[in-house]
Amino acid sequence: MSSTAITGIATLVTNDPSLGEGDSPLGLLRDAAVVIEGDRVVWTGASSRAPATDHRVDAGGRAVLPGFVDSHSHLVFAGDRTEEFNARMSGRPYSAGGIRTTVAATRAAGDAELEANLTRYLAEALRQGTTTFETKSGYGLTVADESRALRLAARHTDEVTYLGAHIVAPEFADDPAAYVDLVTGEMLDACAPHARWIDVFCEKGAFDGDQARAVLTAGRARGLHPRIHANQLTHGPGVQLAVEVDAASADHCTHLTDADVDALAHSRTVATLLPGAEFSTRAAWPDARRLLDAGATVALSTDCNPGSSFTSSVPFCVALAVRDMGMTPDEAVWSATAGGAAALRRTDVGRITPGAFADLVLLDAPSHVHLAYRPGVPLVTGVWRRGERVV
């Protein structure tokens, strides 16, 4: 099994405080090295003490951090919503109804077109340091279209989410109860074999609390673990439901009561914040500081989708979180790596520690802080995924 040492690292983010200096949750090491064997990290420490390996890479005084873990994306789709974005930026408020435009385009697209779109955006994200990603269905809303979306996604990631309950399908506009029956019945039967997770958009204009509970309960009975779109556009029952059903993640969390924050802080449910959506809709920013100070676990993800957050850039989301959501650079980087891993209930990604997958990002900068300090600059100059250099 081949081994590689990356030496001369100015700042190494391990996300293991026991390995690092000071009290940062990032477990920072200075003048450090990492040794990769096969697809795993096997050693971290001082660069001068790096053991002999088959290969060596000199980081040249640059920073290395874990590959980003994007735990919320919608990448199986067709079509374009440029006109909607342009109109919204001209004063029209965002609503969940825009999803129907993408549903129509996705249904009309062939498998090859959908997979080409998917791989294009995955490659785009990889160049920006994303090495683990979750993606959802939700733009088909028929049994055949939802199951094919999941089959396509499963060719590229293990973190696949069934989101038949994105909105009520147009054909069921006058009978949403019948659509919930479809989502929890025939559609679930067809989709469960291809997914790990089940999700629901619990929001005015989509699904109410009782409907969302029925969807998540049915999915859990079929072996899918819950996650939920919660409290994005208004206050609502989504966060409380997430905690009730032990969802891995409550995503968006823009409008929270004190009781919501307390529930998240005393649960295993991660609050996944998606600043790209607020940026692209001119909505109020989630208050990350409030959640962190209460003790909640916070993740940062892109929500990459064609309507409300058409970005695949985790570094961009890190910069937004620091500038507009009250996070420190250390907190934002942790949330985009270890936080994303927690939202997927993973311990083998999002950290650079012995035994973890060798998913690493090399920055053309001496510190991870530059991700927020130099927003919009393409700082990622190297990416290793499962031990192989891919960028």
Side-chain angles (χ1 to χ4, degrees):
M1 189 178 295
S2 178
S3 59
T4 300
I6 305 173
T7 61
I9 301 169
T11 307
L12 174 65
V13 175
T14 69
N15 282 338
D16 183 345
S18 71
L19 298 177
E21 307 158 359
D23 58 359
S24 170
L26 297 183
L28 299 176
L29 294 175
R30 314 287 180 179
D31 191 17
V34 176
V35 174
I36 300 167
E37 190 172 285
D39 63 358
R40 302 279 176 163
V41 174
V42 296
W43 184 90
T44 63
S47 190
S48 61
R49 297 173 51 213
T53 56
D54 300 316
H55 310 282
R56 289 179 95 82
V57 176
D58 184 4
R62 290 174 286 185
V64 171
L65 60 155
F68 299 120
V69 180
D70 192 347
S71 60
H72 184 126
S73 73
H74 304 251
L75 298 180
V76 185
F77 69 89
D80 180 89
R81 285 160 67 180
T82 303
E83 291 184 6
E84 176 190 322
F85 175 80
N86 191 35
R88 189 165 63 236
M89 293 300 101
S90 302
R92 188 180 79 196
Y94 170 68
S95 70
I99 294 168
R100 293 179 179 86
T101 304
T102 302
V103 169
T106 302
R107 289 178 176 181
D111 289 8
E113 180 183 349
L114 291 178
E115 189 161 23
N117 242 12
L118 172 63
T119 56
R120 171 188 172 190
Y121 296 119
L122 292 180
E124 185 179 275
L126 183 65
R127 291 194 299 271
Q128 298 173 90
T130 297
T131 53
T132 301
F133 72 95
E134 176 270 2
T135 202
K136 309 175 192 294
S137 64
Y139 291 127
L141 309 186
T142 67
V143 173
D145 287 307
E146 287 296 293
S147 60
R148 74 161 174 161
L150 296 173
R151 284 197 305 271
L152 293 173
R155 295 176 184 174
H156 301 276
T157 181
D158 294 331
E159 303 297 346
V160 178
T161 300
Y162 166 46
L163 182 59
H166 201 180
I167 58 169
V168 174
E171 299 84 357
F172 291 84
D174 296 327
D175 193 358
Y179 185 66
V180 172
D181 288 343
L182 179 67
V183 168
T184 58
E186 182 185 356
M187 190 183 288
L188 176 60
D189 291 341
C191 291
H194 309 292
R196 180 184 179 200
W197 306 97
I198 187 165
D199 199 344
V200 58
F201 189 9
C202 184
E203 186 64 68
K204 183 179 180 181
F207 298 89
D208 65 24
D210 290 340
Q211 293 168 328
R213 180 180 291 102
V215 169
L216 297 181
T217 300
R220 191 165 57 180
R222 290 297 306 272
L224 304 182
H225 202 86
R227 35 197 336 106
I228 187 169
H229 287 58
N231 301 55
Q232 177 187 4
L233 306 177
T234 58
H235 291 95
V239 164
Q240 295 292 333
L241 176 59
V243 173
E244 174 191 324
V245 301
D246 188 34
S249 182
D251 297 22
H252 289 289
C253 293
T254 307
H255 299 276
L256 302 179
T257 65
D258 288 345
D260 292 332
V261 174
D262 185 67
L264 288 166
H266 292 89
S267 74
R268 296 199 304 163
T269 300
V270 174
T272 298
L273 307 185
L274 308 167
E278 280 69 41
F279 176 87
S280 296
T281 61
R282 288 181 174 162
W285 298 101
D287 189 346
R289 183 82 269 133
R290 181 183 179 199
L291 287 160
L292 291 164
D293 288 348
T297 301
V298 172
L300 282 177
S301 293
T302 64
D303 191 20
C304 187
N305 75 82
S308 60
S309 182
F310 204 7
T311 180
S312 58
S313 175
V314 174
F316 174 64
C317 293
V318 167
L320 290 179
V322 172
R323 170 62 179 81
D324 291 304
M325 289 164 45
M327 301 185 85
T328 68
D330 281 15
E331 289 167 339
V333 168
W334 189 94
S335 293
T337 52
L344 296 174
R345 296 204 168 154
R346 298 277 296 271
T347 59
D348 55 353
V349 295
R351 62 193 69 241
I352 300 176
T353 56
F357 280 118
D359 294 348
L360 317 176
V361 173
L362 176 67
L363 298 182
D364 190 13
S367 167
H368 62 282
V369 177
H370 281 238
L371 291 167
Y373 181 41
R374 305 197 67 208
V377 177
L379 295 177
V380 174
T381 191
V383 179
W384 284 258
R385 183 167 59 185
R386 302 299 193 265
E388 178 184 354
R389 187 164 187 172
V390 290
V391 174

